[in-house]
Amino acid sequence: MSENCLFCKIANGAIPSKKVYEDEEFFAFHDINPAAPVHLLLIPKRHIVSLADIQPEDGAWLGRMMALVPKLAYAHGCNPGPQGGFRLVANTGIEGGQEIDHLHFHIIGGARPWDKRAAPAA
Ligand code: 5GP
Ligand code: ZN
C-alpha cells in the first residue's frame, strides 16, 4: 500500500469501484472511462509503479497475472474465437501515456462495428 495511490485505495476498498475479480494478489474492475464496450483494469494489490520496475524474480506472480487476463476478458464480454479477442495494454511512464503510477493492465474488447473485418451484426 502506497499512501495517496488511487489504485491502492481501490484495491483495499477505500475508494469504490465496479469490481469484477479479487483474490489475495490481484484486483480487477471496470475502467471509469471505458475506451471500448469492454474495458477492465487488472492490478496487483501490492504497490508496484510500472512494468519498468519488473525484475526476473517477479516472473511467477506476473505469470499468474497474465493467466488471469483471458479468463477476465472472456468472462466479462470479450467474444471468443478468431472473430473476437481483446487488447492488452500496459502504459508505462510519461511517454508511455501512464497516468496512474500503479501497474495496471487494460483489458479492452467487445464488438468493433467500425472494423470492416468484423462479422456483420446478427
Ligand atoms: P493509464 O493512463 O494510467 O494507463 O490508465 C489509467 C486508467 O485509469 C484510465 O483509463 C482511467 O480512465 C482510469 N481511471 C482513473 N481514475 C479512475 C477511478 O477512480 N476509477 C476507475 N475505475 N478507473 C479510473
Ligand atoms: Zn498503489
Side-chain angles (χ1 to χ4, degrees), residues 3-119:
E3 268 181 60
N4 298 322
C5 172
L6 176 67
F7 284 178
C8 281
K9 289 177 182 166
I10 285 179
N12 71 22
I15 289 180
S17 68
K18 286 170 67 182
K19 178 172 91 171
V20 296
Y21 179 83
E22 180 175 13
D23 65 22
E24 280 184 4
E25 292 182 291
F26 306 109
F27 192 94
F29 53 104
H30 288 276
D31 195 292
I32 205 167
N33 186 21
V38 178
H39 190 164
L40 307 176
L41 298 172
L42 171 61
I43 64 175
K45 286 186 171 177
R46 126 176 129 83
H47 183 82
I48 176 165
V49 172
S50 78
L51 282 183
D53 296 316
I54 292 295
Q55 302 298 325
E57 55 268 28
D58 294 310
W61 69 260
L62 201 56
R64 291 192 290 276
M65 188 170 169
M66 289 296 297
L68 279 173
V69 170
K71 288 190 170 59
L72 293 173
Y74 294 126
H76 295 283
C78 294
N79 295 307
Q83 293 290 329
F86 57 85
R87 295 175 67 199
L88 177 62
V89 174
N91 296 328
T92 302
I94 300 278
E95 293 187 359
Q98 183 175 7
E99 292 182 355
I100 309 291
D101 289 337
H102 180 130
L103 175 67
H104 51 282
F105 288 169
H106 296 256
I107 302 169
I108 299 167
R112 297 166 65 94
W114 59 89
D115 188 336
K116 291 189 171 55
R117 296 173 308 153

